[in-house]
Amino acid sequence: MYSLRGERWLGPYLLPILTAVRDTVAFFFVTMLSIAAATHAYVILGPRSGDTYPVYSAFTHTIRLAMFGDFDLFEYQGQDTVFGQNASVWEPIDPEPTELDVKTYIYLQGLFFGTGIFVQVLLLNLLTGILGNNYDKQLERNEVLFVQARARMLLEQQRRPWAQIGRLWDWLLRHPTHEPTESVGPQSDGSPREDFKALDTYWWWCPLVAVWALVPLRFVLAPPVDTTDLPDAARLFKRLTTRLVYTPVVNRPYLAPFFLLLSPFMLVFSLTIFLAFFTILLVALVLKVFLGIQVHGIHYILNLTVFGLFGDRWASECGIWVFVRPVDGELEDKMDDVLKQLKELRECLPKAEASGSTCESQGPSSPPGKPK
């Protein structure tokens, strides 16, 4: 469940709960110390010293009283209820306090009431208020928590071992002598393809086999007809082959034979993706024909999740822009005035409805030196 914290439908509601509970760690520490102290006192008094595990027995009796409010006073005092026969009916006979030592009885009673009042009544009721207050505070900043959680998830993904394969691929895409270009998008694909054509025949016929092995992906990248949502299939396929085949071979020509060896695996990969895509299309067609449900964005989802293509750009070529507008003091004062007026109207409306009068609210306060 925690791995779903980055999902929009769950994260903004789950994260305030987890954060509110995390903020009560210090309170739980104090509570557990109090329970440990009560358990220690119970062990010293030794009403259950005859049990097989006296320390654990003392802990269970204390935790039942302090946390769950479940207790049996006679059992807590180490006295077991016996049954006596009255005529033909067996009735319980409560143990007498005189069966215990006077000091032990007094100490046990004091420990019982002290643990019950301090932990069960005071601390646990205080915990309810603290949790509610913390949850309200964290719920107000749920969007901040949600964005932070997504950022941490991205960082975790980058630190995983299999994510390091991306560094190897970046090394293949980087020319050993040329400076990295700042151009992004489809216009950056022209140079590698032109350089590839200038290679010797020995170097370029091996990668061409790999390119042909990727042909089934052309039907997955975009529909065969032109649409306004996605670039045409030829353009996307050109971007894919440039990144996967042409650029690594141009930068390091000695890798060309490896693409010939990898071409069967690339063909299997392409056919697998194509069959999965064809299956999804059949399911979408059935939903549309029999249930009237129309599915959109299949190409977009596959391009983004499988190939990392956002439109006609790779994810590494995309950027995120954040626009922040600071709130000046005057605007903040106006917002406070509006909230104050809303509060006054909320308090006035019930009285006005009962008396048949109207509510009047003062206008927003003007900046110093200016009339209202």
Side-chain angles (χ1 to χ4, degrees):
M1 183 180 66
Y2 186 65
S3 60
L4 297 175
R5 66 191 183 279
E7 298 293 333
R8 169 62 63 178
W9 59 273
L10 181 64
Y13 310 100
L14 174 65
L15 292 171
I17 298 174
L18 299 179
T19 308
V21 174
R22 185 189 60 190
D23 291 344
T24 57
V25 171
F27 183 87
F28 277 110
F29 179 72
V30 174
T31 304
M32 294 310 298
L33 283 182
S34 302
I35 294 175
T39 303
H40 182 248
Y42 192 85
V43 171
I44 293 176
L45 292 175
R48 310 294 305 185
S49 57
D51 293 347
T52 306
Y53 303 103
V55 176
Y56 181 72
S57 177
F59 173 74
T60 55
H61 283 80
T62 304
I63 202 75
R64 283 173 55 190
L65 170 63
M67 297 297 293
F68 309 122
D70 174 31
F71 61 89
D72 183 343
L73 183 57
F74 297 120
E75 184 182 0
Y76 186 80
Q77 295 174 168
Q79 297 174 303
D80 296 326
T81 302
V82 296
F83 288 84
Q85 188 173 11
N86 184 8
S88 60
V89 179
W90 289 88
E91 296 179 348
I93 301 176
D94 294 336
E96 295 293 335
T98 55
E99 298 177 4
L100 297 174
D101 182 67
V102 177
K103 290 185 178 180
T104 303
Y105 178 76
I106 294 175
Y107 288 146
L108 283 173
Q109 292 293 314
L111 181 62
F112 173 80
F113 286 107
T115 304
I117 294 174
F118 181 72
V119 180
Q120 173 67 26
V121 178
L122 295 181
L123 288 184
L124 293 190
N125 281 280
L126 185 60
L127 174 63
T128 304
I130 292 175
L131 281 175
N133 187 35
N134 287 345
Y135 179 74
D136 291 338
K137 290 181 179 179
Q138 300 302 331
L139 190 61
E140 293 178 356
R141 53 190 300 266
N142 60 347
E143 288 297 329
V144 177
L145 297 174
F146 181 62
V147 174
Q148 290 177 349
R150 280 190 167 181
R152 291 193 185 98
M153 292 179 69
L154 291 175
L155 187 60
E156 291 174 1
Q157 292 288 341
Q158 291 180 352
R159 290 178 175 176
R160 290 181 178 178
W162 51 83
Q164 305 304 320
I165 300 176
R167 296 185 178 181
L168 175 61
W169 195 256
D170 292 338
W171 176 77
L172 293 176
L173 297 178
R174 186 172 58 251
H175 198 278
T177 58
H178 295 175
E179 292 294 331
T181 178
E182 296 182 357
S183 62
V184 296
Q187 65 272 15
S188 63
D189 296 339
S191 179
R193 298 179 72 90
E194 294 175 358
D195 295 340
F196 179 79
K197 295 177 182 178
L199 294 176
D200 295 335
T201 306
Y202 172 77
W203 295 116
W204 62 260
W205 74 267
C206 293
L208 284 181
V209 178
V211 172
W212 280 102
L214 296 175
V215 168
L217 296 179
R218 181 168 181 168
F219 305 97
V220 179
L221 293 172
V225 295
D226 294 338
T227 61
T228 57
D229 299 333
L230 288 172
D232 58 280
R235 183 179 176 184
L236 291 177
F237 185 71
K238 179 181 177 181
R239 294 229 68 194
L240 181 67
T241 54
T242 300
R243 187 178 181 88
L244 295 182
V245 180
Y246 293 122
T247 302
V249 173
V250 168
N251 293 340
R252 292 167 177 81
Y254 56 83
L255 294 177
F258 290 97
F259 282 94
L260 181 62
L261 298 176
L262 291 175
S263 57
F265 301 98
M266 298 174 73
L267 179 61
V268 172
F269 171 76
S270 303
L271 292 176
T272 302
I273 297 297
F274 176 77
L275 292 177
F277 172 71
F278 186 72
T279 304
I280 295 174
L281 283 184
L282 288 180
V283 174
L285 182 61
V286 171
L287 292 176
K288 181 178 180 180
V289 173
F290 294 98
L291 300 179
I293 301 175
Q294 192 167 1
V295 181
H296 296 280
I298 298 177
H299 290 282
Y300 173 80
I301 294 174
L302 287 176
N303 290 350
L304 186 60
T305 56
V306 179
F307 307 110
L309 274 170
F310 188 80
D312 61 347
R313 292 176 180 266
W314 300 102
S316 58
E317 298 174 346
C318 299
I320 300 176
W321 292 85
V322 179
F323 297 93
V324 180
R325 185 182 67 179
V327 179
D328 56 3
E330 183 178 351
L331 180 59
E332 188 173 359
D333 293 339
K334 291 181 179 179
M335 293 173 61
D336 292 338
D337 290 340
V338 172
L339 293 176
K340 184 178 179 180
Q341 293 177 46
L342 290 176
K343 183 178 179 181
E344 293 176 355
L345 290 174
R346 192 179 296 112
E347 295 175 353
C348 177
L349 282 176
K351 300 178 181 178
E353 291 178 356
S355 60
S357 59
T358 59
C359 292
E360 295 182 0
S361 177
Q362 297 180 356
S365 59
S366 302
K370 295 183 180 180
K372 291 186 179 180

